[in-house]
Amino acid sequence: MGLVQAVKGAVGGVLADQWKDFYTVPAGLPSTAALFAAVPQGTNAGRGSNTHGSSNIISNGSKIVVPEGYGLLLFQDGAITAFVAEPGGYEWRSDDLNSQSIFAGDGLVSTFIKQSWERFKFGGQPGAQQAAFFVSLKELPDNRFGTQSEIYWDDAFLNTQVGAVTRGSYTLKIVDPILFVKNFVPASYLRPGQVFDFTDMDNAAATQLFNEVVGSLAPAFSLYSNDPAKGNRITRLQQDSIGFAQSLSAAVEQAYQWQSDRGLAIVKTAIVSIEYDANTRELLKTVQRADALSGARGNSNLQASVAQGIQSAGENGGAAGLVGVGMASGMFGAGSLQQPAAPAADDPVAKLKKAKEMLDLGLITQSDYDALKAKALGL
C-alpha cells in the first residue's frame, strides 16, 4: 500500500506542478516588513486551477512581479542563485527537473515520467526546494531606542562629561540584501508565510539590534558633539535627523559592523526627548547666559545693567546715594557727573575691551574670549 500511495502521490504532484503560476506580494503586510516569501496566486475571482501545487516548486514559465521599492531573491535548495533589484515582471526558468512544465514547452511524456520517478524516490515529494523572496529596499520606519538610566559622554563644547536619558526612533535600510540574508536572517524566516519585521517584539534578531543601538548611543553622542562640522552643540541634534543618524550609524558600524557584515544602515533619526542630568542642566544654563551676553547684545545688556544700578542707587538713597555710588566707583570728577567707570583693574568693560582687542589680533581664540567674558561678568 505504501508503494501505491507513493506512486499516486508522485503522479498527482507532477500533474499539479505543471501549471504556470503568478507570484506576487502577500496581502496584509505591515509597512515595516523587511523580508517575506513571494506567494502564488492560485485563484483570482473564482478563476484559476492551480490550488494543489507543491509549495517549494516553481514551474518554468511562472511569472513573478517585482514592485517598486523591493528586490527579489531566488533560492534553489537553500542557496541564493539570483537577485533582482529592478521592478517589473520576470519569468522563472530553471534547469531543475522538478521545475519543468508541459505548459512551458518542456515536453509531455518525458517530463511526466522523469518527474514521477524522481518524486517516487522521495515518497511522492519533489526532491528539490525552490523559493522566491521579496526584500524591502525602502527605509523601514519605527525602529525605536531608549535608555532607562543616564548615559555619559565627553562633550567638546562644554569641555566636560555630560549625561542624559534619551529616547527616539530611526529608519533602517537594507543596503546589501545578500549579506542581510546570509549573515543575519534566521533560517526560520526563510519559509513561506513568515515575515521578518524589525519592529516585531518576538523577533530575537530585531531585539539584538535594539540592544546594540542602545549600547552605541553614548559613542554616537560623543561623535556628534565632538565633530566641529556639527558646531559642537549637542542641543542641535534634535533638529539634525540626518547628522545624528550618521553619527549613530558610524558608532554601530564601529562596534557591531552592521553595514559590512549585515548589509544594514541607519538613515534618519528622530530624537523624541533628551533629559539631561542635574549637573548638565546647570552647565547648559551657564551656556545660555553666555550666549545671551555675546556680541552687541552683550554690550547692550551690560550698559543696561549699569544704568539700572545707578537708577536703583538713586531711588534708594536720593542725592546722597548717587554721591555715594559715584565716590565708591570713581564716577564723579570735578563737580560734574562723568561716564561710569571702575578702577581699571576691576572694570569688566575694560577687561572685555582688552580681551576683544586680543581676539581681533589673533592672540587668543574665540573659546578663550568666551571664558574671559564669562569670568568678567561673573557667570
Side-chain angles (χ1 to χ4, degrees), residues 5 10 25 35 54 61 66 76 98 127 143 154 181 192 195 204 207 223 260-261 265-266 277 307 312 318 338 349:
Q5 290 297 327
V25 175
L35 180 75
S54 301
V66 181
Q76 174 76 38
N98 294 278
N143 300 281
D154 292 328
V181 171
V195 177
T207 301
L223 285 172
S260 56
D261 283 357
I266 294 174
D277 63 7
S312 298
Q338 298 179 355
V349 176

Side-chain angles (χ1 to χ4, degrees), residues 13-253:
V14 170
L15 287 170
D17 288 339
Q18 295 303 305
W19 293 102
K20 295 193 293 185
D21 217 322
F22 182 84
Y23 285 78
T24 184
V25 175
L29 281 175
S31 61
T32 51
L35 180 75
F36 47 89
V39 295
Q41 189 169 336
T43 59
N44 183 16
R47 297 184 297 273
S49 301
N50 190 12
T51 59
H52 301 290
S54 301
S55 61
N56 58 342
I57 292 298
I58 303 176
S59 300
N60 282 341
S62 294
K63 188 174 183 180
I64 304 176
V65 174
V66 181
E68 290 281 358
Y70 291 91
L72 178 68
L73 284 163
L74 302 181
F75 290 78
Q76 174 76 38
D77 296 332
I80 298 175
T81 58
F83 173 69
V84 175
E86 295 295 326
Y90 295 86
E91 184 177 293
W92 175 274
R93 279 288 172 181
S94 174
D95 295 331
D96 189 276
L97 175 64
N98 294 278
S99 287
Q100 292 184 8
S101 168
I102 59 175
F103 300 116
D106 293 327
L108 177 60
V109 176
S110 62
T111 296
F112 275 124
I113 294 175
K114 290 178 181 179
Q115 287 184 359
S116 295
W117 172 245
E118 186 69 19
R119 298 188 185 198
F120 169 72
K121 293 188 297 184
F122 289 92
Q125 299 296 320
Q129 185 183 56
Q130 300 163 340
F133 280 82
F134 290 115
V135 58
S136 177
L137 303 180
K138 305 176 182 181
E139 288 185 42
L140 298 169
D142 205 29
N143 300 281
R144 311 216 174 170
F145 63 82
T147 60
Q148 295 181 346
S149 58
E150 288 87 356
I151 55 174
Y152 293 90
W153 67 93
D154 292 328
D155 190 282
F157 181 75
L158 297 177
N159 196 31
T160 188
Q161 188 181 73
V162 300
V165 175
T166 183
R167 62 187 179 91
S169 63
Y170 61 91
T171 62
L172 191 62
K173 192 168 186 179
I174 302 171
V175 295
D176 191 326
I178 296 177
L179 273 181
F180 172 64
V181 171
K182 280 190 170 184
N183 295 344
F184 190 69
V185 177
S188 59
Y189 287 95
L190 299 178
R191 296 184 303 176
Q194 297 295 314
V195 177
F196 187 96
D197 189 337
F198 289 108
T199 64
D200 184 0
M201 298 302 295
D202 295 326
N203 186 341
T207 301
Q208 177 64 27
L209 292 182
F210 170 84
N211 293 333
E212 291 176 1
V213 168
V214 172
S216 302
L217 284 174
F221 282 133
S222 181
L223 285 172
Y224 188 92
S225 62
N226 289 286
D227 183 358
K230 305 293 192 301
N232 298 123
R233 293 295 187 103
I234 196 65
T235 52
R236 292 179 181 172
L237 67 83
Q238 286 180 279
Q239 292 80 40
D240 189 7
S241 63
I242 296 178
F244 182 65
Q246 293 171 345
S247 298
L248 184 56
S249 185
V252 297
E253 175 65 19

